[in-house]
Amino acid sequence: MVVTIVEFRIDRRSGVPAFQQIVQQTKQALRLGVLVPGDRLPTAKNVAEASAVNPNTTLKAYRELEREGLVEPRPGQGTFVRRTLARPSAGTDSPLYGELVAWVSRAAEAGLEREDVAALVASAMDKQYAAGPETAATTTGSTGE
């Protein structure tokens, strides 16, 4: 049994409920391949201690992930990852990730703050994916290089 250390970061100022932040962060870990099928998620007690949330908040998040078929509870053993969301080209070891890290580094060197970078990325994603997935796969744009 593999217990993967996932550290949930709860931003109380974000306006996003804590349980939803746990769901989002778990899905991100699944997309990046940090969590893989068979991994055990931290217990609600451990998350409560590390993130200062009520254990019921974590249980609510885990129930949502279970409803989506991503995790499964095993009585007396914990909650385990059932399936991944990872795609080979979306992992932290992919060339795309390296390009993104380099771009974020250039943005920081240009004086952009985290919120500026997030706004630019969100805007680019909105533009790219606005017409639906079939358009996103075929749309090409200038990379500025």
Side-chain angles (χ1 to χ4, degrees):
M1 161 181 14
V2 176
V3 178
T4 301
I5 304 300
V6 177
E7 211 174 290
F8 297 109
R9 291 180 181 86
I10 306 302
D11 181 358
R12 301 196 188 302
R13 296 170 291 162
S14 73
V16 176
F19 89 92
Q20 191 62 44
Q21 291 182 51
I22 293 170
V23 169
Q24 290 169 346
Q25 290 173 34
T26 302
K27 286 181 177 180
Q28 181 177 10
L30 290 168
R31 286 188 197 294
L32 295 175
V34 172
L35 288 172
V36 297
D39 285 350
R40 189 177 80 173
L41 296 178
T43 66
K45 179 181 177 183
N46 289 344
V47 175
E49 291 170 355
S51 303
V53 296
N54 186 303
N56 289 328
T57 299
T58 303
L59 293 173
K60 183 176 180 180
Y62 286 4
R63 281 192 303 272
E64 175 65 20
L65 292 163
E66 179 186 5
R67 187 186 68 71
E68 294 182 28
L70 299 173
V71 302
E72 63 182 347
R74 296 182 192 162
Q77 296 179 20
T79 302
F80 292 81
V81 173
R82 187 170 176 199
R83 69 180 178 91
T84 185
L85 295 173
R87 295 181 184 195
S89 60
T92 56
D93 58 349
S94 76
L96 287 173
Y97 180 77
E99 291 174 29
L100 182 58
V101 169
W103 182 85
V104 170
S105 179
R106 287 194 312 273
E109 289 170 3
L112 297 179
E113 295 183 8
R114 182 183 187 102
E115 292 79 12
D116 300 325
V117 171
L120 282 172
V121 169
S123 176
M125 286 177 40
D126 289 346
K127 181 178 180 181
Q128 181 66 27
Y129 294 99
E134 63 283 345
T135 303
T138 60
T139 303
T140 59
S142 170
T143 60
E145 296 180 332

